[in-house]
Amino acid sequence: MSARDDRLQTRILHAGSPPFEHGAAPVNVPVVRTSTVRFERDADRSALHHRREAGEAVSTYGRHGMATHRALEAAIGELEGASDVLLAPSGLAAISLLFIALLSPGDHVLVQDSVYGPVRERVEPLLTRLGVSFSYFSASDGVPAALLRPTTRLIYAESPSSFLYEVIDLPALAAFAREHGVLLVTDNTWGAGLLYRPLALGADISVQATTKYLGGHSDLMQGAVSTANPELARRLRDTHDALGLSIGADDAYLALRGIRTLAVRLAQHGRHALEVARFLQTESRVVARVFYPALPDDPGHALWQRDFTGANGLVSFALRHAQAADASAFIDALRLFGIGASWGGYESLALIAPASRLREHGYWRGAEPVVRLHVGLEDPADLIDDLSQAFRRVLK
Ligand SMILES: *Cc1c(COP(=O)(O)O)cnc(C)c1O
């Protein structure tokens, strides 16, 4: 049996491991920090330069990354089922990279209305300035046939979506995109590659904020764009080079280290979050609705069961009979949950979902304030006690 036959959990533990030299090797890849790559002879330099020009992920300069970066790309490639992975200094940089790489003036993109907010707030204005037009579609309405234009080049989706975890029928969207010759890109930060594999379900490109679960310890900013299509990889690599996107070897190492424990952390986040979500459902006097696709009554549950292999630590809920100020007082009263954006670290967090973003999409029309929890690795009984005391103190 070859390494390729091993299961995903096994492959991500060993991808990028250093080879033996003289019969021995460290378990972990070294952190190779450099700007200059030295060559023994000029012929070695030009040979490597030509391989790079032909699209190989080899390095002739520190900006391209060295062995630590190659190891991380190999591990993310296993996670995503990708042949090519481009690393970026944040998740948002990875998203902007792919839009800039794949679109030209006059092109049109279709974006799911419940995607990560800065795509609408930051990336759209940038691309609009460069002559690209945007339309938004609600995944609740099925495939966006009515919005398609002759100039539509790309569909951008995220499943489950930010804050409310709208699960989309990705294979159906992929069939629609293929039929019309449009590229399909999805943000896979929620599934992290282990819970969800968009390339296998028909997407052309998967992008992740590796800042979140791959890092796993709230000490890293990083993103990755993955594809199994060599032509797309070449376009992405050219733009990646032109933008001079580069990450430090220490940060590449941190993400690689995170990947080695991803499966055990995600399983624990998912178990704890399900416990918290079930508790929230019992608090029906103060909680109007719980958003978590692993709950059987979540509208996305059937698709989640079909396409995902697990759930993560993100749970949101709408507060009944509450104003924005009540939601603020509630998260202020929490003792164990920090107040903060980002997520995917070991610690629990709470954040109020910006009301303006919830109004922008068609998935949910409620007016109640929404609290997003990231359920960390603390004992879930302590987290439930904490939520319970904050409910009692503030909302009853
Ligand atoms: C956090 C996040 C991003 C952006 O990642 P950064 O590393 O913070 O720039 C993109 N997409 C989703 C779904 C996210 O949650």
Side-chain angles (χ1 to χ4, degrees):
M1 201 163 111
S2 81
R4 288 172 69 185
D5 299 320
D6 289 336
R7 290 159 185 83
L8 185 58
Q9 261 197 51
T10 306
R11 297 202 308 272
I12 63 170
L13 286 194
H14 300 294
S17 289
F20 291 118
E21 274 175 45
H22 310 295
V27 169
N28 292 300
V29 71
V31 175
V32 182
R33 304 173 58 110
T34 198
S35 56
T36 294
V37 176
R38 282 193 307 131
F39 300 95
E40 197 172 354
R41 290 180 217 85
D42 189 48
D44 297 320
R45 188 200 56 77
S46 61
L48 214 58
H49 179 77
H50 284 118
R51 282 173 60 194
R52 183 162 180 85
E53 289 294 296
E56 255 189 88
V58 293
S59 188
T60 54
Y61 186 46
R63 198 173 57 219
H64 308 146
M66 301 292 290
T68 326
H69 301 72
R70 297 294 91 75
L72 175 59
E73 289 160 4
I76 295 175
E78 290 291 353
L79 269 174
E80 295 280 9
S83 55
D84 290 85
V85 176
L86 286 306
L87 302 171
S90 69
L92 193 56
I95 293 168
S96 291
L97 161 65
L98 71 90
F99 275 97
I100 295 168
L102 302 176
L103 298 167
S104 300
D107 288 349
H108 172 246
V109 295
L110 281 168
V111 177
Q112 187 185 328
D113 60 4
S114 49
V115 293
Y116 179 66
V119 174
R120 303 181 68 135
E121 293 156 14
R122 301 279 178 262
V123 181
E124 182 198 321
L126 169 67
L127 270 289
T128 302
R129 191 158 58 72
L130 300 179
V132 175
S133 52
F134 277 59
S135 302
Y136 291 91
F137 67 97
S138 172
S140 307
D141 300 338
V143 296
L147 294 171
L148 203 68
R149 300 182 193 168
T151 52
T152 308
R153 295 281 171 268
L154 189 149
I155 298 175
Y156 184 85
E158 179 185 321
S159 185
S161 63
S162 286
F163 286 112
L164 301 181
Y165 323 117
E166 176 179 25
V167 184
I168 69 170
D169 189 341
L170 195 68
L173 195 58
F176 170 79
R178 212 173 308 115
E179 182 190 339
H180 296 283
V182 175
L183 294 174
L184 176 61
V185 178
T186 100
D187 184 321
N188 193 22
T189 304
W190 192 98
L194 200 63
L195 307 179
Y196 194 47
R197 311 198 77 220
L199 298 184
L201 295 173
D204 298 292
I205 291 176
S206 176
V207 60
Q208 274 199 48
T210 53
T211 302
K212 307 285 171 52
Y213 280 122
L214 268 53
H217 296 74
S218 301
D219 53 5
L220 176 70
M221 296 300 304
Q222 195 182 90
V225 182
S226 302
T227 184
N229 176 325
E231 165 59 15
L232 293 179
R234 190 192 55 73
R235 289 161 68 188
L236 289 164
R237 197 172 302 288
D238 285 349
T239 303
H240 186 265
D241 241 357
L243 293 173
L245 296 182
S246 179
I247 67 164
D250 298 281
D251 283 349
Y253 184 87
L254 282 180
L256 192 58
R257 180 180 164 120
I259 288 172
R260 306 307 192 203
T261 57
L262 181 64
V264 62
R265 286 185 290 107
L266 271 177
Q268 192 92 330
H269 283 291
R271 260 197 313 276
H272 291 188
L274 187 59
E275 269 191 59
V276 168
R278 288 197 175 121
F279 160 75
L280 291 168
Q281 285 191 312
T282 67
E283 291 281 325
S284 54
R285 274 179 55 194
V286 283
V287 173
R289 180 164 160 184
V290 181
F291 301 90
Y292 192 63
L295 288 173
D297 51 359
D298 188 279
H301 186 69
L303 284 174
W304 172 80
Q305 270 197 315
R306 187 190 71 186
D307 292 344
F308 291 76
T309 57
N312 68 17
L314 289 171
V315 180
S316 295
F317 58 99
L319 287 169
R320 199 185 287 288
H321 312 307
Q323 305 299 318
D326 303 314
S328 291
F330 171 74
I331 65 169
D332 283 351
L334 292 167
R335 191 176 56 83
L336 283 174
F337 289 82
I339 298 173
S342 205
W343 44 268
Y346 54 85
E347 82 288 11
S348 288
L349 294 169
L351 189 72
I352 298 169
S356 57
R357 287 192 189 160
L358 300 181
R359 300 294 160 267
E360 282 170 336
H361 58 73
Y363 181 58
W364 182 68
R365 292 288 178 205
E368 297 95 337
V370 170
V371 175
R372 178 183 77 190
L373 301 178
H374 177 252
V375 177
L377 303 178
E378 298 91 343
D379 189 318
D382 287 328
L383 297 176
I384 288 168
D385 284 350
D386 193 24
L387 291 163
S388 189
Q389 65 79 24
F391 282 141
R392 303 285 97 71
R393 260 170 60 197
V394 177
L395 297 169
K396 280 188 182 174

